[in-house]
Amino acid sequence: MDPNILATVRDFAASEAPLVVLSGAGISAESGIPTFRGPEGYWTVGSRHYRPEEMATLGMFRSNPEEVWRWYLRRLAVCRGAEPNAAHRAVVDMERLFGDRFLLITQNVDGLHLRAGNTPGRTYQIHGNINFVRCAGPCSNDIYPLPASVELKEKDEPLSDADRAALRCRACGAWARPHVLWFDESYDEELYRFNSSIEAPAGAGMLLIVGTSGATNLPMQIGSIAAGQGALLVDVNPDRNPFSAMAERANGFFLAGAAGTVLPSLLEAMRRDG
Ligand code: OAD
């Protein structure tokens, strides 16, 4: 990597300023989880019967909860079968290095950052986590793990009677739903740390953006706020995307490459104290 870039990252690490990491599906690609918008992406392939924009909605869940659950239980089988990769591990080491100066904002619902060792208190999962469920009705916003008895699906197969019985809110008996943000829903603080995520970049010295196409609104806002405050923006991605130009305009960098290769190098630069 360009020595000037490594020196800039090292200087940042030696300062008192916080590091905010913003991750998207690309950071889990090397773990074998398809992204959303790539050729094999979830939003490209969809389900057998519906387009993804229809599938990942509260409207669809209300009219056809079993179809939506089938799709999520297949995705969950992929996520549970995946292991954190070198990029996830580098982000864990960044949290250990920066301590209170560290925050991770992730769009990923696969839970791999937490499995790798990032702490829940410093990990904002702004689109939820598919390992968890909550009541689909109005009874409460309590979030709890998907019951272990629910069978994950290797292929598109129907729910069993036992699945149907287990996928129920344990308080009121209504359907339980995946704890994820859907296309026809809005960010909020209680479930998705919306306000906290908007506030986070204000004090950041560096925003490290990894593996996201910048297609959703909140991440773009986070990038703009950080750039406006003069933070160092670094975008890691094999392909250029809206964050690349934003980073370069803000005197930051676009680092073309896979997260599992680039992040360990950045971590090394952060560790060097001069
Ligand atoms: P996308 O599928 O839109 O973008 C994935 C990005 O990862 C692309 O820019 C790829 O170039 C990049 N990428 C691929 N392999 C990579 C690698 N090895 N290392 C680094 N980057 C790599 O996924 P997101 O940007 O995460 O929201 O999508 C954002 C949101 O859109 C998702 O969280 C989801 C979706 O609608 C909800 O479900 C609410």
Side-chain angles (χ1 to χ4, degrees), residues 24-26 30 35-37 43 107 127 181 211-213 237-239 258-259:
E30 289 160 87
T35 61
F36 291 96
R37 298 176 179 81
W43 287 176
Q107 299 164 81
H127 293 166
L181 180 70
T212 179
S213 65
N237 199 306
D239 299 320

Side-chain angles (χ1 to χ4, degrees), residues 23-30 34-38 41 43 56 72 75 107-109 126-127 180-183 187 210-216 219 236-241 257-260:
S23 71
I27 200 169
S28 295
E30 289 160 87
T35 61
F36 291 96
R37 298 176 179 81
W43 287 176
Y72 275 96
R75 279 183 67 189
Q107 299 164 81
N108 298 346
V109 298
I126 60 173
H127 293 166
V180 294
L181 180 70
W182 281 326
F183 280 115
Y187 287 112
V210 189
T212 179
S213 65
T216 53
V236 178
N237 199 306
D239 299 320
R240 288 192 69 87
N241 61 81

Side-chain angles (χ1 to χ4, degrees), residues 68-83:
V68 175
W69 263 121
R70 281 159 70 152
W71 191 62
Y72 275 96
L73 292 176
R74 285 184 69 191
R75 279 183 67 189
L76 193 52
V78 174
C79 294
R80 292 259 177 100
E83 295 298 327

Side-chain angles (χ1 to χ4, degrees), residues 198-242:
I198 285 287
E199 284 159 17
M206 174 171 169
L207 178 67
L208 174 57
I209 303 154
V210 189
T212 179
S213 65
T216 53
N217 181 24
L218 178 55
M220 289 307 289
Q221 270 182 272
I222 291 169
S224 303
I225 294 168
Q229 304 286 327
L232 172 67
L233 259 62
V234 177
D235 179 36
V236 178
N237 199 306
D239 299 320
R240 288 192 69 87
N241 61 81

